[in-house]
């Protein structure tokens, strides 16, 4: 039994020390702004690590993940905007927008929300809400391999102890 515990000690210590893997989080928008955003983060309240998909529409405009950028502004919020001019700047008569996404379960109001499009002649505010949910988390491949190694070590140790 002591050999089995010794064989399992290192893999269990490694498993406990591995960083959490990012999960996919889906945000749905309602109001003047509609669509979905799917991003990776450690949890629903942590900063966005990467944008996986973005399907977003405002009156007269549509955007996808190739059109946007983001940066964390702290306090559970992320600035998201089109990269036409700058993520945090909207010029009149350009297909552009930005808003502050408050990370966490919703519904949450979109704040600092403005947009413009060619021919509009000005920058206008828009209203909307966001609701976030964690999509099915998938175990990290290295964690699965580590669990397999633990099972194999356990089986080998058990078999060796039965031979004696």
């Amino acid at each position: 039994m002591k050999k089995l515990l010794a064989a399992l000690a290192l893999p269990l210590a490694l498993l406990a020390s591995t960083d959490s893997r990012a999960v996919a989080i889906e945000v749905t928008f309602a109001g003047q702004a509609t669509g979905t955003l799917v991003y990776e983060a450690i949890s629903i309240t942590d900063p966005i690590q990467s944008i996986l998909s973005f399907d977003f529409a405002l009156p007269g405009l549509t955007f996808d993940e190739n059109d946007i950028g983001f940066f964390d502004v702290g306090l559970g919020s992320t600035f998201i905007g089109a990269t036409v001019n700058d993520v945090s700047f909207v010029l009149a008569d350009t297909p552009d927008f930005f808003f502050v996404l408050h990370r966490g379960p919703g519904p949450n109001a979109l704040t600092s929300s403005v947009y413009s499009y060619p021919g509009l002649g000005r920058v206008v505010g828009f209203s909307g809400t966001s609701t976030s949910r964690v999509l099915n988390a998938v175990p990290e491949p290295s964690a699965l391999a580590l669990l397999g190694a633990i099972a194999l070590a356990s089986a080998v140790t058990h078999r060796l102890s039965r031979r004696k």
Side-chain angles (χ1 to χ4, degrees):
M1 183 65 168
K2 289 181 182 180
K3 288 182 180 181
L4 175 61
L5 290 175
L8 294 177
L10 179 60
L12 288 175
L14 288 173
L15 183 60
S17 69
T18 56
D19 289 337
S20 298
R21 181 176 177 177
V23 295
I25 298 164
E26 179 184 61
V27 181
T28 54
F29 300 99
Q32 286 179 291
T34 59
T36 59
L37 162 68
V38 179
Y39 66 88
E40 283 188 318
I42 298 299
S43 76
I44 202 166
T45 56
D46 283 313
I48 294 174
Q49 294 179 347
S50 65
I51 303 286
L52 300 175
S53 68
F54 189 66
D55 175 20
F56 188 73
L58 286 162
L61 298 169
T62 58
F63 298 93
D64 65 26
E65 62 273 7
N66 299 313
D67 301 322
I68 65 162
F70 65 94
F71 62 89
D72 183 51
V73 292
L75 302 173
S77 299
T78 300
F79 214 100
I80 297 177
T83 55
V84 173
N85 296 298
D86 184 335
V87 172
S88 61
F89 187 74
V90 174
L91 289 175
D93 290 324
T94 62
D96 205 355
F97 78 95
F98 68 75
F99 61 85
V100 176
L101 174 70
H102 301 284
R103 299 183 307 272
N108 293 303
L110 300 177
T111 58
S112 303
S113 311
V114 297
Y115 77 103
S116 186
Y117 57 84
L120 183 61
R122 65 189 191 286
V123 174
V124 295
F126 67 90
S127 62
T129 60
S130 65
T131 304
S132 302
R133 70 182 182 99
V134 176
L135 299 177
N136 292 335
V138 177
E140 185 175 358
S142 63
L144 291 176
L146 192 55
L147 289 173
I150 291 169
L152 181 63
S154 174
V156 168
T157 304
H158 184 270
R159 178 169 257 197
L160 290 174
S161 69
R162 294 190 91 184
R163 283 188 180 175
K164 292 181 179 185

